[in-house]
């Protein structure tokens, strides 16, 4: 039976418990990171871009007032131990690190810095995506729900993922692999569980994310994805430029190539939006090059925090 890291201890999956009054349960107060782990026969447990995931979690926890001094090193150590407990040599696992508000009482007006967060870490077998998804690409629908740039939690990986998962289910019912999420201004946000890139004239274009806004501009509800950042870095190393911009649906439809990113599938080509083909309706060459670069990057796999 797999084990779960629960508030400092390893317990059997069926024994992992949180209070019925935990703020994650009562109010959805919490953050999470989903990471890709593996067991390397020579190197042991590893997690892709572990430091980047922990840094994003720490920033969100601080900016949203969940906890001011998140200790990321022991969290990273526990995440690597979760990989070791769940996987075997050559296997990939999905690591989920969740931090909730614990005993935080949102109705209190003082003493909130003293609350103790709840920490859960578990690792399960990674989803095996069919190779055809990457060879042929997927289609997108347009989500009904929209991201609000004035929602201060919108660009953080909070526990409020229900609306995103509902849109993902709706997309699947329509035969699509994902859904394009727009902002209330009708600018592109990304997809339900990832970021989006359009390729035009040999240059990557991606929606402006949190932290990239111009001074005095409205906040961005776009999450600064860890894989998104890795794509931008890999593209730069190959001499491919990247523009961060406010994109519309027309920019997606007119692009030569489109792909989406997250930590589970990496780089996933998009060949259709609703009934409209994108480019030649096949994965493009830049998409293939970027995907290959990320897959070949062994330096991304961390053995320590």
């Amino acid at each position: 039976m797999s084990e779960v890291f629960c508030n400092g201890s390893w317990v059997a999956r069926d024994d992992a418990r949180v209070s019925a009054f935990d703020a994650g349960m009562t109010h959805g107060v919490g953050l999470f990171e989903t990471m890709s782990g593996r067991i390397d026969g020579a190197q042991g447990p590893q997690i892709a871009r572990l430091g980047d995931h922990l840094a994003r979690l720490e920033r969100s926890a601080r900016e949203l007032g969940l906890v001011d001094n998140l200790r990321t090193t022991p969290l990273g150590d526990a995440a690597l131990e979760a990989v070791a407990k769940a996987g075997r040599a050559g296997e990939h696992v999905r690591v989920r690190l969740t931090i909730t508000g614990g005993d935080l009482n949102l109705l209190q007006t003082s003493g909130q810095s003293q609350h103790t967060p709840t920490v859960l870490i578990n690792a399960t077998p990674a989803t095996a995506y069919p190779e055809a998804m990457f060879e042929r690409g997927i289609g997108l629908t347009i989500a009904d729900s929209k991201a609000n740039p004035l929602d201060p939690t919108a660009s953080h990986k909070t526990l409020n993922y229900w609306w995103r998962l509902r849109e993902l289910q709706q997309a699947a019912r329509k035969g699509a692999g994902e859904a394009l999420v727009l902002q209330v201004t009708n600018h592109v946000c990304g997809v339900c569980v990832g970021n989006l890139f359009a390729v035009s004239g040999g240059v990557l274009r991606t929606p402006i994310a949190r932290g990239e806004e111009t001074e005095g501009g409205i906040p961005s509800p776009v999450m600064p994805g860890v894989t998104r950042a890795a794509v931008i870095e890999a593209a730069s190393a190959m001499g491919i430029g990247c523009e961060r911009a406010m994109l519309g649906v027309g920019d997606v439809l007119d692009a030569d190539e489109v792909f989406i990113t997250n930590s589970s599938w990496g780089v996933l080509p998009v060949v259709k939006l609703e009934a409209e083909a994108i480019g030649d309706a096949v994965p493009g060459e830049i998409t293939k090059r970027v995907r290959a670069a990320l897959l070949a990057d062994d330096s991304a796999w961390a053995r320590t925090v």
Side-chain angles (χ1 to χ4, degrees), residues 48-50 52-53 56 195 197 204 206 212 224-238 240 242 244 259 261-263 266-267 289-295 297 299-301:
R49 303 176 184 89
L50 174 59
D52 295 332
H53 281 285
R56 181 174 66 179
N195 293 103
F197 287 84
L204 303 183
T206 190
E212 299 172 349
V226 169
T227 306
R228 173 184 182 269
V231 163
I232 294 172
E233 182 179 351
S236 177
M238 292 187 288
I240 300 170
C242 181
R244 298 161 177 84
F259 60 87
T261 62
N262 74 10
S263 295
V267 172
R289 289 176 61 195
V290 171
R291 173 171 163 75
L294 261 63
L295 289 174
D297 184 12
S299 68
W301 294 89

Side-chain angles (χ1 to χ4, degrees), residues 225-305:
V226 169
T227 306
R228 173 184 182 269
V231 163
I232 294 172
E233 182 179 351
S236 177
M238 292 187 288
I240 300 170
C242 181
E243 175 189 358
R244 298 161 177 84
M246 301 292 283
L247 304 179
V249 172
D251 294 304
V252 177
L253 290 172
D254 293 339
D256 302 319
E257 308 172 31
V258 170
F259 60 87
I260 55 178
T261 62
N262 74 10
S263 295
S264 295
W265 62 57
V267 172
L268 182 56
V270 173
V271 297
K272 185 173 67 171
L273 176 60
E274 296 289 351
E276 299 295 324
I278 293 173
D280 295 327
V282 295
E285 290 305 313
I286 288 182
T287 300
K288 293 177 183 177
R289 289 176 61 195
V290 171
R291 173 171 163 75
L294 261 63
L295 289 174
D297 184 12
D298 276 338
S299 68
W301 294 89
R303 293 182 290 117
T304 58
V305 181

